[in-house]
Amino acid sequence: MNKPADHVANAATAAANTVSAAERIDARAERVKQATSEAVDRTKDAVERAADKVESGLHTATDKAAHGATRAAEKAEEVKMRGKEAYDEAVDKTNDWLDTAREYVREKPVQSIALALAAGWLAGRILRN
C-alpha cells in the first residue's frame, strides 16, 4: 500500500468528518436557539396573560369597591334624611304640646295653678319615699 496516499485519504476523511461535525453542531445550535426562542415566547405569552388577569381582577375589585362606597354614601344620606325628618317631627309635636298647654293656661288659669300644685305635691311624695 501506498502510505502517502493513505495519509491523504485519511486527511480527506478527517476533513469531511470535521465539516460534517461542524454542520451537526451548527444544526444543533440552531435547534437550541429556536427552542430557546419558542420557550421565551411561550413564557412571555404566559406572563402577559397573567398580567391581563391581574389587571382585570384589579379593575373588578376597584369597581366593586367604588360601587360599595357609593351605596354606603347613599344609605348614609338616606339615614341622615330620616333622622332629620324624625327630629323635625319631634320638634313639631313638642311645639304643638307647648301651644296646647299655653292655651289651657290662658283659658283656665285657676285650674292650671291647681293642677300644677297637685302635680308638684304628688312629685314631692314620690321623690320623698
Side-chain angles (χ1 to χ4, degrees), residues 46-67:
V47 168
E48 286 175 353
R49 284 192 307 272
D52 289 344
K53 284 183 181 180
V54 168
E55 183 180 12
S56 175
L58 287 174
H59 283 297
T60 301
T62 302
D63 291 345
K64 285 182 180 180
H67 179 69

Side-chain angles (χ1 to χ4, degrees), residues 41-104:
D41 289 343
R42 285 192 306 269
T43 302
K44 179 182 171 189
D45 291 343
V47 168
E48 286 175 353
R49 284 192 307 272
D52 289 344
K53 284 183 181 180
V54 168
E55 183 180 12
S56 175
L58 287 174
H59 283 297
T60 301
T62 302
D63 291 345
K64 285 182 180 180
H67 179 69
T70 301
R71 286 192 58 194
E74 289 170 355
K75 289 290 183 182
E77 185 64 27
E78 183 181 318
V79 169
K80 175 184 164 188
M81 292 304 294
R82 277 193 262 159
K84 185 173 179 350
E85 289 171 4
Y87 172 79
D88 290 343
E89 187 177 318
V91 167
D92 290 343
K93 282 186 180 183
T94 302
N95 287 336
D96 289 344
W97 290 343
L98 286 174
D99 289 342
T100 302
R102 284 186 188 114
E103 283 180 36
Y104 184 79

Side-chain angles (χ1 to χ4, degrees), residues 32-46:
V32 168
K33 179 180 170 186
Q34 288 175 350
T36 303
S37 177
E38 290 171 4
V40 167
D41 289 343
R42 285 192 306 269
T43 302
K44 179 182 171 189
D45 291 343

